[in-house]
Amino acid sequence: MAVTKDTVYIKGEQNVEVTKSEVTLGDILSIECANLEMIPKIKALKLLKVQNNGKHRYVVSVLKIIECIHRQYPNVDIENLGKEDIIITCEDQKTPNKFIHWTKVAVVTAITFVGAAFSIMAFNNDVETTKLFGQIYTLLMGKQSSGFTVLELMYCVGLIVGILIFFNHFGGKKFSVDPTPMEVEMRLYENDIQTTLIENYSRKEKELDVGKTTSAGTHRA
């Protein structure tokens, strides 16, 4: 009679942050198995150890993870449902200084506000919006514009409403369940960074793969 093998399903995200010096499989993977007793044992398996303080970054191949599991459980079948390469960032957890944090927020807000205001004013000046509104007002009303009419008012209101609709949120409130354009761009930017990191580590042969040992000094980022 054939012996039924246990199947272990693993799933890892592309980028994982940990704060412990000893990284286990449970820190970076979601694990499922019909044999419930095996799950906590696999999660406790050590993958790498960071010997120095500070920030370290590793790129780990899923084959290295499978090798780690097979060393303890050589007869299990493993199916990977996640990424083929996982970026692990090890960094000491620090409580940010609130004063510095809010100072950064204020500076970024001020720069963004001034930059956006300057861009809008430069655009309006470039296309001569005031002159255009004056001509439209004279054409429709038959008299000269006073400089501030319903056209300018509705233009200001429409500009604000258009920006809010485009960015899909006001403060912490979103107008729909769709991601905002900023969130989409940030996600694309993160994906590009992760792809570049994986390719660079692979080319420099720094990726933790089958048969390679962990060395914190050579993987520091």
Side-chain angles (χ1 to χ4, degrees), residues 5-171:
K5 290 185 177 181
D6 291 319
T7 301
V8 178
Y9 300 91
I10 60 175
K11 181 180 179 181
E13 299 296 333
Q14 187 80 80
N15 196 355
V16 181
E17 292 186 3
V18 296
T19 57
K20 301 190 304 182
S21 59
E22 292 187 351
V23 182
T24 63
L25 297 186
D27 296 327
I28 64 172
L29 297 175
S30 297
I31 302 173
E32 174 58 22
C33 181
N35 186 347
L36 299 180
E37 295 181 356
M38 189 178 295
I39 296 178
K41 296 179 181 179
I42 294 178
K43 287 185 176 181
L45 294 178
K46 295 180 181 179
L47 179 64
L48 58 89
K49 182 177 181 180
V50 182
Q51 299 178 353
N52 302 322
N53 295 328
K55 184 176 181 179
H56 299 267
R57 180 172 286 128
Y58 300 83
V59 175
V60 181
S61 170
V62 70
L63 293 178
K64 182 68 176 180
I65 296 173
I66 294 175
E67 179 190 50
C68 181
I69 298 175
H70 275 162
R71 278 202 299 262
Q72 298 296 325
Y73 303 98
N75 296 322
V76 300
D77 292 330
I78 303 174
E79 290 195 21
N80 178 39
L81 305 179
K83 300 295 183 178
E84 296 179 354
D85 298 283
I86 300 176
I87 301 171
I88 303 176
T89 302
C90 306
E91 187 174 9
D92 297 334
Q93 191 69 28
K94 297 179 180 179
T95 303
N97 187 293
K98 290 186 177 181
F99 175 77
I100 296 177
H101 172 74
W102 287 109
T103 300
K104 291 180 180 179
V105 171
V107 171
V108 172
T109 302
I111 293 175
T112 304
F113 178 80
V114 173
F118 181 80
S119 299
I120 294 173
M121 290 187 293
F123 171 78
N124 290 334
N125 183 66
D126 186 50
V127 300
E128 297 183 338
T129 304
T130 303
K131 182 179 178 181
L132 176 63
F133 284 167
Q135 292 174 346
I136 295 175
Y137 186 84
T138 302
L139 179 64
L140 296 177
M141 304 302 295
K143 59 180 180 180
Q144 292 293 327
S145 170
S146 62
F148 183 76
T149 64
V150 67
L151 291 176
E152 286 80 8
L153 177 62
M154 296 310 298
Y155 175 73
C156 294
V157 174
L159 187 64
I160 296 173
V161 173
I163 291 174
L164 292 177
I165 293 176
F166 177 78
F167 285 101
N168 192 26
H169 72 91
F170 179 73

